[in-house]
Amino acid sequence: MTHAADFRHQFWSGGSYELGIEVGSTDDAGLQAVLGAVWAAAGVQGCYGHGDREPEEQEVVSCTVASLEEFGHLLGQVRLPSGDLVACGVMAVRGGDDSSDWLDFYVPESALDAAGVAYWDGRPFYRSALIDDWLAAIATEAFRSAPFSCAAVGWEVSGCIDAASLAGELPEKRGVGYLVPRDGVLRYGPAND
């Protein structure tokens, strides 16, 4: 039995594989819409505030911006394309007056390791086409009900891009996967560099 879905066996502050989404606003309503859409698109089981207790040892919390602010992260369990149930989480980076909010949906490195997911092949960046495509599919589904400015998938990708610098275009060379909306359609460019 692996510990991929157990909360206590995760290094929550360690590295993680992410879907980083630039929300496109700094208001709670925009962040809430994207949060709810991502949680639903990923099929996350549960919503909890404490990483040092197993789900059955704590009360379910609401999947809201208020809960994110209270706990810093919201945690749950999600099924990977491989069928493995793993721990996952979400956090927000609020932009304030200077920039847009970001929402990061992630699976900790420790959960991927416990599930036996290969995500490193000696290149400078961790990369898993399986996880990239899965996260891109979550983003695409979420975008249908809660459009956002742009997103990236890969290892620790939050804030590595922004909609203003992409200007609606996918870069030719991509060290991570990019998701860029254009004419109401979210386009995905997988990592290729």
Side-chain angles (χ1 to χ4, degrees):
M1 172 162 168
T2 70
H3 299 294
D6 295 344
F7 285 10
R8 279 197 193 100
H9 289 90
Q10 305 314 316
F11 298 108
W12 292 108
S13 61
S16 59
Y17 221 98
E18 296 178 342
L19 162 61
I21 298 174
E22 184 180 10
V23 175
S25 71
T26 58
D27 63 76
D28 286 356
L31 183 59
Q32 180 63 56
V34 174
L35 170 61
V38 166
W39 211 255
V44 178
Q45 300 173 22
C47 186
Y48 306 95
H50 302 284
D52 60 348
R53 299 180 214 160
E54 296 305 325
E56 62 273 8
E57 299 170 351
Q58 59 183 305
E59 297 291 321
V60 172
V61 299
S62 58
C63 187
T64 62
V65 172
S67 292
L68 264 177
E69 289 175 356
E70 179 180 350
F71 296 104
H73 295 250
L74 295 177
L75 310 173
Q77 296 168 319
V78 67
R79 207 155 289 283
L80 296 176
S82 63
D84 293 293
L85 187 67
V86 297
C88 65
V90 67
M91 64 174 282
V93 177
R94 303 305 299 260
D97 294 335
D98 297 333
S99 63
S100 175
D101 290 343
W102 280 81
L103 184 81
D104 296 327
F105 175 75
Y106 62 90
V107 176
E109 173 184 5
S110 53
L112 294 173
D113 288 343
V117 174
Y119 55 87
W120 190 66
D121 63 3
R123 288 184 273 193
F125 300 101
Y126 291 124
R127 187 174 298 157
S128 166
L130 176 74
I131 303 299
D132 283 357
D133 292 348
W134 172 66
L135 291 172
I138 291 169
T140 301
E141 180 64 28
F143 184 81
R144 290 185 180 113
S145 61
F148 47 80
S149 294
C150 69
V153 295
W155 192 259
E156 301 284 333
V157 295
S158 178
C160 73
I161 59 163
D162 63 73
S165 61
L166 292 173
E169 297 297 328
L170 289 168
E172 253 183 65
K173 291 185 178 182
R174 299 177 296 274
V176 300
Y178 289 83
L179 294 116
V180 178
R182 187 168 185 186
D183 300 325
V185 176
L186 189 65
R187 297 176 302 131
Y188 173 47
N192 64 6
D193 188 26

